Amino acid sequence: MNLILFGPPGAGKGTQAKKMVDLYGIPQISTGDILRANVREGTELGLAAKAYMDKGELVPDEVLIGIIKNRLKEPDCEKGFILDGYPRTKPQADALAALLDGINKPIDVVLNLEVPDEELVERISGRLMCNNCGASYHRTFNPPKKEGVCDTCGGELFQRADDREEAVQNRLNVYKKQTQPLIDYYAEKGILVTLEGTKDINEVFEDIKAVLTKFA
Ligand code: ADP
Ligand code: ADP
Ligand code: ZN
C-alpha cells in the first residue's frame, strides 16, 4: 500500500500515520521528522533547512526531493509506505511521480484530512512532540498519560519552535499557496479521498481504515 497523508499543518497527519504504522506494518515517512532529526544532529542538511523551518517557509524542493529519493530506496519501503508531509509543491509531486513510475509503484490513495483554520491554530498551539519518536500529543485534546513523557517510548515532550504563534499563520498561508493546489492534481488522477479531520482521533482512524480495506 503506497499512501500519501495530505492536509494542512495540524490536520492530524502524524497522529494518524503512527496508528497506521502499528496496524499495517508499513513505515511512516515524515519529511518534517527527517528534517528535525538533521537539525538536531547539526548535519549540513539540517543547518541549511533550519532557517526556513523556523520561519515557517518550505525548505527548497531539491533538498526534499533528495531526501525522498534516498528514503524510498530503503528496504522497509518494499511493502509500501505512508508519506506524511510530502509532497508539498508541484515540483515535489512531479519528482515523486517520476520516481515511483520508474520502480512501478504508483500511489494508491491520497488521504486528505480537512480541518478549518481556527481548529488548526488551536491544535498547533497546544501540540507537544516527542523528541525521540516524533509522536504528537496535545495539551488538552490528546494529553500524555504522564505529563511531559511520551506514552509509547518514554521520550521527552517539547513544544516545537515553529509551533509558537509567529510561524503558525505563515505556515497556513504557505500551505494555501503552495500545497493546497495539489488537491486538484490528485483529484484529477482519481486517487484523492477527502476525510473530515475534525472528528476525534479514533473516528478519523476508523474512516481511514474503511477507505483502506480495498488495499490492505
Ligand atoms: P500534522 O502532522 O498534520 O501537522 P499532528 O498529527 O501533529 O498534525 O496533530 C496536530 C495536533 O493536533 C497535535 O497536538 C495532535 O495531538 C492534535 N490532534 C490530532 N488529531 C486530532 C483530532 N482528530 N482531534 C483533536 N486533536 C487532534
Ligand atoms: P506540519 O505537519 O505542522 O506542517 P512538518 O513537521 O510536516 O509540520 O514540517 C515542519 C517544517 O519542515 C515545515 O514548515 C517546512 O519548513 C519543513 N518541511 C517538511 N516537509 C517539507 C516538504 N515536503 N517540503 C518543504 N519543506 C518541508
Ligand atoms: Zn515517543
Side-chain angles (χ1 to χ4, degrees), residues 8-10 13 30-33 35-36 49 52-54 56-61 64 84-89 92 124 127 129 160 162-163 171:
K13 303 181 294 296
S30 160
T31 46
D33 285 351
L35 290 167
R36 277 185 292 278
Y52 296 100
M53 297 172 77
D54 286 346
E57 298 287 337
L58 294 182
V59 175
D61 287 332
L64 270 296
D84 162 11
Y86 185 98
R88 268 166 141 108
T89 64
Q92 291 183 21
I124 293 171
R127 170 158 60 187
M129 190 165 274
R160 282 167 44 180
D162 61 338
D163 279 353
R171 277 157 65 206

Side-chain angles (χ1 to χ4, degrees), residues 130 133 150 152-153 155:
C130 174
C133 74
C150 178
T152 46
C153 81

